[in-house]
Amino acid sequence: RGSECRERIVRFDLASNVYERFFLEGDRLIGAVLINGIQDKSAVTALIQDQRPMAGVWGRLADMSFDIATLTR
C-alpha cells in the first residue's frame, strides 16, 4: 500500500507472555504483529483480508480479555 499506518494499538499479557500490536488506517485493520498470540491469528487474518469497517471497536482491541474472533462473526 502506498499509504501510511495512522494508528497503533498494543495489548500484552505478561503472565502468559503474549504481545499483540495492531496497525490501523481509518476504520480498517491493515496489519498486526502477534507474538505468542497465535490463537488470534485466523481472526486477525480474516479482519485484514475482509477490509471490514471496524469503527467503534478499536478501544476494545487493547483489552486482552476481548475475544477478537467475535469481530469475524
Side-chain angles (χ1 to χ4, degrees):
R1 295 188 185 173
S3 57
E4 294 180 20
C5 175
R6 302 286 186 242
E7 188 175 349
R8 294 172 187 92
I9 295 176
V10 174
R11 70 186 197 167
F12 59 93
D13 182 359
L14 292 176
S16 59
N17 202 29
V18 172
Y19 174 89
E20 299 177 339
R21 179 179 286 190
F22 304 101
F23 300 94
L24 319 169
E25 183 174 71
D27 64 351
R28 301 210 179 351
L29 180 65
I30 62 168
V33 173
L34 306 174
I35 299 174
N36 296 329
I38 58 171
Q39 71 279 1
D40 294 329
K41 181 183 175 192
S42 60
V44 170
T45 300
L47 292 169
I48 293 169
Q49 290 175 342
D50 292 348
Q51 292 290 296
R52 184 178 312 181
M54 298 176 49
V57 300
W58 297 137
R60 292 188 284 171
L61 285 179
D63 181 359
M64 281 302 291
S65 66
F66 176 67
D67 181 5
I68 294 173
T70 61
L71 299 174
T72 62
R73 297 179 189 137

